[in-house]
Amino acid sequence: MESSGGNKRVHVVAMPYPGRGHMNAMMNFCKHLTAKFSIKDDIRISFVVTEEWLSFLESESRLPPQIQLRSIPNVIPSELVRGLDHSGFFQAVQTKMEDPFEKLLDQLQQEGDPGVWVRAIIADTILPWAVSVGNRRSIPVVSLWPMSPSVFSINYHMDLLAQKGLDPVDFSPDELINYIPGVSPIILAGMPASQERSLKRSFILEAVSAVRKTHCLLLTTYYELEPQVTKALMEVLPVPVYPVGPSIPLPMTLEDENDKRNINSKVNTEEYYLKWLDAQPGSSVLYVSFGSFLSAASEQMEEILAGLRESGIRYLLVSHGGKDPIDNNNIDSSRSLVVPWCDQLKVLCHSSVGGFWTHCGWNSTLEGVYAGVPMLTYPVGFDQITNRTLILDCWRIGMKIMKEVGAERLVNREEIALIVKKFININGDDEESNEMRTRASEFNKSCRQALAEGGSSTANLDNFIRNILEYHGN
């Protein structure tokens, strides 16, 4: 159980939910974890994915030597089509992955060095079967929650709605819920469960309930972002709760980032969009991205593009293509740029970016907070609705495109042009926009303080590591 240098060796198995947002959150946390170990042999992380995801991740980026990708068979539908039947995909994940995962654990144990056992399983909270596997084998399971603490608390306390005779699927959307521990008052229509079918909802309720049987809960946020609800979870859960986020790519100072770009011609070639941003005025560009899974319908996207053009605002838009790719021939390249992919955190931290039009996924929300940019909110479903409430009503660092929660009507180009101009506020004469930017800057400072030496997230990560190292299973 010790390395040649006398240090305790740790083998951890990471089991993410097989979706892009969940995968990114788990991988980012694992990278943060390995960075805390100065000698590469001190920790080894077996990061478990399907064979399809193995091909995706192997082609995307280099990993720290401590992280090894391990695969199980493709027992679930392809990532490329899961949007066609998300409930079916979700059910397959819950019912078909447990057995191959357990077989892989047997294989890892046989391959391992004598005396070096799997110290812990870090599993996405949405995989309650991983808790069962760990408990059967007396391996502590660490639950990693890749969404906001508010969304966890809402799901964990869903029984409080039942006691009031409320059903998140059949409700009065304006019903005000103000009795969930730590969660700011929220209308029922803004709760994540209202967007879910009953089958998926039952799986999620089972998952958050299973946290009581884990070794501890990791939150991908930082304490100061949602202190009331995080404190409430610490009080109500029978296991330790560690806010160790934001679970974003390892931070790089802007000075180091610029130095790297200046000396590395390959980076300059690959990140052409950063060169384009370099040529734009400060805080003038709206960065637009709707995430990796759900996006706006093609008809709505036409209105969005037309509204952006009519606004006259500079913008950088990420388009993943598909059946309705955006025609770059209709784009004014001096004032706008459309890319198939970009390093989102680098873009958000660029001095020319003045706002982030986002689908309100939790990873993107945390990156926006870290970068200190205000957010123009356009949620599609799931936890994104609740995240918008946090951005708009709790933190007050954003504006919204749609007035109604989950509105199905098209937002026309004229409306879009008006809100975009007000949001970016090039002339600096809009008081609401200026106050929003000031608050976003304050969150930027608190986020970086949490990640700094002595900050809350750094201290929590140290405490988590100490907890796992000292645990001997008795």
Side-chain angles (χ1 to χ4, degrees):
M1 191 173 67
E2 296 187 353
S3 67
S4 58
N7 295 319
K8 289 184 178 180
R9 298 187 65 187
V10 181
H11 182 194
V12 173
V13 175
M15 183 66 251
Y17 180 89
R20 173 62 68 177
H22 294 251
M23 195 77 64
N24 288 348
M26 180 70 79
M27 181 60 77
N28 288 334
F29 171 74
C30 288
K31 289 179 179 179
H32 282 260
L33 184 59
T34 60
K36 298 293 287 186
F37 288 78
S38 58
I39 303 174
K40 72 176 182 178
D41 287 337
D42 282 347
I43 186 169
R44 180 175 124 217
I45 299 178
S46 295
F47 196 93
V48 183
V49 295
T50 62
E51 292 173 351
E52 179 184 50
W53 268 105
L54 179 66
S55 66
F56 293 158
L57 295 179
E58 283 183 331
S59 65
E60 288 179 359
S61 61
R62 289 177 51 191
L63 296 175
Q66 303 98 318
I67 299 177
Q68 300 176 348
L69 297 176
R70 302 302 298 261
S71 66
I72 62 175
N74 291 323
V75 293
I76 58 176
S78 169
E79 169 72 6
L80 302 178
V81 299
R82 70 179 172 115
L84 300 177
D85 181 14
H86 191 259
S87 293
F89 178 90
F90 192 86
Q91 185 172 14
V93 169
Q94 301 301 336
T95 58
K96 296 183 178 180
M97 291 182 66
E98 179 176 353
D99 182 62
F101 174 72
E102 194 154 13
K103 289 179 179 177
L104 179 60
L105 280 181
D106 291 333
Q107 182 180 342
L108 291 173
Q109 198 64 50
Q110 293 171 3
E111 295 175 357
D113 297 335
V116 182
W117 64 86
V118 174
R119 185 65 64 90
I121 296 171
I122 303 177
D124 192 303
T125 304
I126 305 300
L127 303 176
W129 50 259
V131 180
S132 301
V133 170
N135 289 345
R136 285 198 298 269
R137 293 166 171 259
S138 298
I139 301 173
V141 178
V142 175
S143 184
L144 183 137
W145 177 251
M147 290 171 268
S148 78
S150 290
V151 171
F152 183 96
S153 189
I154 289 169
N155 283 290
Y156 188 80
H157 293 99
M158 197 60 68
D159 60 312
L160 297 179
L161 274 72
Q163 292 172 17
K164 300 282 186 178
L166 298 175
D167 183 341
V169 176
D170 183 16
F171 56 80
S172 170
D174 295 327
E175 180 87 29
L176 185 67
I177 309 300
N178 57 6
Y179 43 80
I180 298 178
V183 177
S184 299
I186 183 173
I187 61 172
L188 196 58
M191 295 175 62
S194 67
Q195 305 296 317
E196 298 159 4
R197 296 180 181 177
S198 58
L199 177 62
K200 181 182 175 187
R201 191 169 86 251
S202 66
F203 276 128
I204 292 178
L205 297 183
E206 176 190 354
V208 296
S209 177
V211 168
R212 294 193 293 261
K213 300 177 183 179
T214 65
H215 188 68
C216 62
L217 174 65
L218 298 176
L219 300 177
T220 56
T221 187
Y222 66 103
Y223 180 84
E224 292 81 1
L225 191 60
E226 293 183 75
Q228 291 84 4
V229 68
T230 302
K231 181 179 179 182
L233 291 176
M234 290 175 172
E235 293 172 349
V236 72
L237 290 174
V239 298
V241 177
Y242 299 105
V244 294
S247 186
I248 58 177
L250 282 172
M252 177 189 295
T253 65
L254 295 182
E255 292 79 9
D256 290 343
E257 183 178 306
N258 289 332
D259 288 344
K260 179 181 177 183
R261 286 167 53 209
N262 288 335
I263 64 175
N264 191 330
S265 60
K266 182 178 179 180
V267 172
N268 272 326
T269 300
E270 292 178 347
E271 298 181 353
Y272 60 96
Y273 49 86
L274 294 178
K275 280 188 170 183
W276 182 85
L277 286 172
D278 288 341
Q280 311 306 316
S283 301
S284 67
V285 176
L286 175 64
Y287 171 62
V288 184
S289 175
F290 301 125
S292 57
F293 177 41
L294 298 173
S295 61
S298 58
E299 189 176 0
Q300 180 64 79
M301 183 58 73
E302 289 180 10
E303 293 300 305
I304 289 172
L305 290 171
L308 288 171
R309 287 193 295 267
E310 289 183 15
S311 73
I313 295 298
R314 292 174 170 83
Y315 63 90
L316 169 61
L317 185 146
V318 178
S319 171
H320 297 289
K323 65 178 182 179
D324 295 305
I326 294 171
D327 184 2
N328 272 288
N329 293 324
N330 293 328
I331 301 296
D332 179 358
S333 60
S334 65
R335 302 186 64 85
S336 55
L337 182 67
V338 176
V339 297
W341 179 90
C342 71
D343 187 322
Q344 180 164 284
L345 191 58
K346 283 186 179 181
V347 168
L348 289 172
C349 289
H350 197 285
S351 60
S352 70
V353 172
F356 179 15
W357 185 337
T358 174
H359 68 307
C360 304
W362 188 237
N363 292 337
S364 290
T365 298
L366 289 174
E367 291 187 11
V369 168
Y370 176 84
V373 296
M375 289 175 260
L376 191 57
T377 60
Y378 189 80
V380 178
F382 310 122
D383 66 314
Q384 300 165 13
I385 305 294
T386 305
N387 296 341
R388 177 173 81 164
T389 299
L390 294 172
I391 293 167
L392 298 180
D393 301 333
C394 298
W395 308 330
R396 294 181 296 144
I397 57 173
M399 295 181 181
K400 56 187 174 182
I401 292 292
M402 295 181 293
K403 293 182 179 180
E404 303 87 5
V405 172
E408 295 183 358
R409 72 172 181 84
L410 281 179
V411 185
N412 63 48
R413 61 193 66 190
E414 291 80 14
E415 293 176 275
I416 290 170
L418 286 174
I419 188 64
V420 165
K421 285 192 288 188
K422 177 181 175 64
F423 177 70
I424 291 296
N425 188 27
I426 289 296
N427 297 326
D429 54 2
D430 187 280
E431 184 176 350
E432 179 185 357
S433 180
N434 290 334
E435 291 176 353
M436 177 183 63
R437 292 175 190 285
T438 298
R439 285 189 292 271
S441 179
E442 292 170 354
F443 277 105
N444 163 264
K445 293 176 183 177
S446 68
C447 184
R448 296 186 183 223
Q449 287 171 355
L451 290 169
E453 192 66 31
S456 62
S457 290
T458 301
N460 283 324
L461 184 55
D462 289 339
N463 290 336
F464 163 71
I465 292 172
R466 191 177 303 113
N467 183 320
I468 290 298
L469 288 177
E470 293 176 352
Y471 181 76
H472 298 289
N474 47 3

